[in-house]
Amino acid sequence: MKFKAPRGMRDYYPDAMAARNWIMERWHRVSLRNGFEEYDGPIMEELDLFRVKSGEGIVSELFHFADRGGREMAIRPEMTPTLARMVAARANALRKPIKWYSVPRLCRAERPQRGRLREFFQWNIDILGEDDILADAECIFVAIDFFRDIGLTPEQVVMKISSRSVLAAILRINGFAEERLEAVYATLDKRDKLAPEEFSKLIETLGVPEPQEQLLLKLGEAKGPEGITMLGEMVGQDPEGNQEVDNLERLFDLLGDMGVGPYCLFDMGVVRGLAYYTGPVFEAFGKGGLQRAICGGGRYGELLKTVGGPPMSGVGFGSSDVVIADLLKEFNLLPDLSPVTAVFVIDADPRNPTLFKRVLSITAELRRRNITASYSYRRQGIGKQFKQANDRNARRVIIVEEATLTDNTVSVKDMGTGVQQPLALEAVLDDPFQPLEPA
RNA sequence: GUAGGCGUAGCUCAGUUGGUUAGAGCACUUGGUUGUGGUCCAAGGGGUCGGGGGUUCGAAUCCCCUCGCUUACCCCA
């Protein structure tokens, strides 16, 4: 074929569409039951909106163009700038806390690889206007609520949680200059990807004194409850540091109270590349072969200000359908999504046009009653029609026959059990799935 | 942008000292079957062997180039 779907973008044939809908229905369901409202924005924004948030380097990763008025536009690569813009515009009018979710279609002009395409859907959950760490706990709970909803157990997925603010406090107490923090974050974020000796080498390239090097090595290893204890020792008597560690402990207490403790793990190795995170950060990982993060987020303190809004803190996360689909596949969690026809209507004698008229009217009546009903377009033998009914995964078959014309009865067959019984047509229309008695 | 792997039917793949008209399974269509589906049997449609060039009497097969896909790195919102 001359044409195919663009690089990194997908065609959704019905089976793929069914899988996509399966995931997205669960995103909606979980969002709504956790008290989030849906919002959306335009598919593209002014290029500058993304520049403001992420810097000039972002431009090469975007699909962008000049419109006919010469305005630089970009297809959205993420939802957060749009969210910040929308909330900032009505910051004072919106009831707090703002709990919003969205399932935007996003595009990024990067090289496709496993779990990462050029066009995808991303579930976004955000809480704004609530500084208490309870909001952070809520966001993490929502992500795990979704994992549970699709059948993932703590043996299959882990939510790794860390804290930018604790990390910042420890670094400050140990004499790291403010302007070095960015580089340190980037380095620590790589820890889990490298062998220990390579990580040590990377630390050395930072060019910090020996004691600070040792601190960074130790920090990267902090994990689990002992890790948090270790952080407590590191901050010592520093009041601000103590407060941050207390906050982190409270986060884990809350998650325990919410019943999702088994999914959660403190891990200082989670830092997240983004510059704008200011508090707790978290990333979920599958425990199988797929090592990529399946969701990631955290608290951002200053984001609204960068788009000209008031100071308002937020916390949220995003999760792409591509990685979720990979994970579902890996753990075989997608159910059979083949289309099901509830009722298939058959005429017993294809040579009798009067019977077919009744097939049409009965099918139409079933559909009017919101029952998925179908029939064969070809007037062919009853065996062929049954075959077609079977191919369409019909639950029940209604056979229109001579008795239908004389007594207004039809034969109903259950395709699962094979049981067939004559019944009054009205009774069948009222309840097509009533129990059948074997003859 | 860097490096590896792979390109044969819709899908998964066979196909070597280079040799007739390129194959299988699954899927699809039709028939076996004029009142009963799934199983089974049979037939059929579907391929410029990714593309171009070269070597050769002869290339899916050997050589060169190119395009595409894919995995990892870089980056990551």
Side-chain angles (χ1 to χ4, degrees):
Chain A
M1 292 295 279
K2 190 172 179 184
F3 296 109
K4 50 181 146 184
R7 184 178 174 76
M9 302 189 180
R10 292 167 286 180
D11 291 323
Y12 295 92
Y13 286 85
D15 55 340
M17 192 69 206
R20 167 178 144 191
N21 282 336
W22 188 89
I23 292 172
M24 291 180 72
E25 279 163 15
R26 274 152 188 80
W27 280 344
H28 286 287
R29 182 162 91 195
V30 171
S31 302
L32 292 170
R33 75 181 176 212
N34 280 276
F36 288 75
E37 297 176 281
E38 187 175 12
Y39 71 99
D40 200 356
I43 189 78
M44 61 183 72
E45 294 276 4
E46 289 177 44
L47 181 56
D48 276 346
L49 178 64
F50 302 119
R51 277 206 185 97
V52 162
K53 188 202 154 210
S54 306
E56 187 61 34
I58 192 71
V59 175
S60 66
E61 301 290 328
L62 298 181
F63 288 102
H64 62 96
F65 62 96
D67 73 7
R68 294 207 288 176
R71 285 172 286 262
E72 285 291 333
M73 307 298 293
I75 300 178
R76 60 189 179 190
E78 59 166 326
M79 199 58 188
T80 310
T82 301
L83 170 70
R85 182 175 65 69
M86 288 170 66
V87 171
R90 301 194 181 177
N92 293 330
L94 294 167
R95 200 176 344 109
K96 317 293 180 308
I98 299 162
K99 294 175 68 175
W100 284 3
Y101 85 96
S102 192
V103 183
R105 185 173 202 136
L106 308 178
C107 288
R108 299 178 182 177
E110 62 188 348
R111 202 156 195 156
Q113 53 189 278
R114 186 171 184 195
R116 217 165 145 184
L117 297 173
R118 290 187 154 190
E119 183 191 44
F120 56 96
F121 295 89
Q122 188 187 59
W123 181 37
N124 280 257
I125 282 283
D126 286 275
I127 301 178
L128 295 100
E130 177 53 66
D131 291 336
D132 193 276
I133 201 153
L134 190 49
D136 304 63
E138 277 256 291
C139 279
I140 294 169
F141 174 83
V142 173
I144 296 171
D145 193 24
F146 171 72
F147 295 153
R148 282 201 298 215
D149 197 84
I150 61 176
L152 289 166
T153 66
E155 284 70 46
Q156 295 168 320
V157 66
V158 58
M159 178 65 80
K160 295 184 178 179
I161 301 166
S162 180
S163 169
R164 272 284 179 86
S165 44
V166 170
L167 182 56
I170 292 173
L171 293 175
R172 177 180 52 73
I173 292 164
N174 286 275
F176 281 84
E178 183 78 22
E179 61 271 17
R180 295 305 312 271
L181 294 187
E182 198 69 24
V184 171
Y185 290 159
T187 304
L188 286 177
D189 195 42
K190 289 188 172 46
R191 184 185 172 276
D192 278 358
K193 292 177 127 183
L194 300 173
E197 56 274 17
E198 288 174 40
F199 180 65
S200 304
K201 275 183 196 159
L202 192 62
I203 294 274
E204 286 170 27
T205 62
L206 282 172
V208 296
E210 174 70 19
Q212 293 195 346
E213 269 186 25
Q214 290 304 319
L215 176 80
L216 292 179
L217 284 172
K218 207 171 155 195
L219 266 178
E221 284 164 16
K223 221 174 232 183
E226 320 79 52
I228 300 183
T229 309
M230 193 171 104
L231 296 185
E233 292 160 6
M234 283 176 162
V235 297
Q237 298 304 308
D238 184 87
E240 193 191 322
N242 268 303
Q243 196 187 328
E244 293 297 347
V245 173
D246 286 350
N247 228 7
L248 185 60
E249 281 177 337
R250 177 154 175 258
L251 176 60
F252 276 88
D253 286 345
L254 290 168
L255 290 167
D257 292 341
M258 292 172 172
V260 294
Y263 283 92
C264 299
L265 175 72
F266 168 71
D267 187 338
M268 208 59 174
V270 174
V271 182
R272 309 264 308 149
L274 284 74
Y276 65 76
Y277 285 120
T278 54
V281 288
F282 49 91
E283 280 181 338
F285 294 87
K287 289 186 174 176
L290 188 66
Q291 289 301 313
R292 197 171 289 277
I294 54 181
C295 116
R299 178 166 288 271
Y300 41 89
E302 311 290 326
L303 186 62
L304 256 63
K305 281 204 279 187
T306 66
V307 296
M312 187 193 287
S313 168
V315 53
F317 70 84
S319 179
S320 142
D321 72 306
V322 184
V323 193
I324 296 295
D326 281 351
L327 204 64
L328 287 170
K329 201 173 169 189
E330 179 175 358
F331 292 118
N332 202 22
L333 289 172
L334 256 188
D336 179 14
L337 298 171
S338 340
V340 169
T341 302
V343 177
F344 201 91
V345 188
I346 283 173
D347 50 354
D349 182 359
R351 290 163 308 186
N352 184 345
T354 312
L355 292 182
F356 182 56
K357 284 175 180 293
R358 299 300 300 274
V359 167
L360 291 179
S361 65
I362 291 169
T363 304
E365 180 59 22
L366 286 165
R367 290 173 176 174
R368 197 178 70 76
R369 299 180 188 212
N370 204 27
I371 288 164
T372 307
S374 197
Y375 60 94
S376 174
Y377 290 171
R378 296 177 55 183
R379 303 302 12 106
Q380 53 191 352
I382 196 165
K384 290 293 178 200
Q385 295 191 64
F386 262 103
K387 201 180 187 64
Q388 199 171 340
N390 191 62
D391 289 344
R392 302 287 167 79
N393 292 322
R395 286 175 59 193
R396 290 269 166 109
V397 164
I398 293 179
I399 304 167
V400 179
E401 51 209 347
E402 281 302 319
T404 312
L405 304 179
T406 56
D407 306 333
N408 229 20
T409 62
V410 292
S411 291
V412 178
K413 178 166 180 173
D414 186 296
M415 294 296 275
T417 62
V419 173
Q420 182 171 324
Q421 184 186 0
L423 288 167
L425 177 58
E426 276 313 312
V428 175
L429 291 175
D430 285 342
D431 182 9
F433 304 110
Q434 61 188 282
L436 300 180
E437 300 291 335

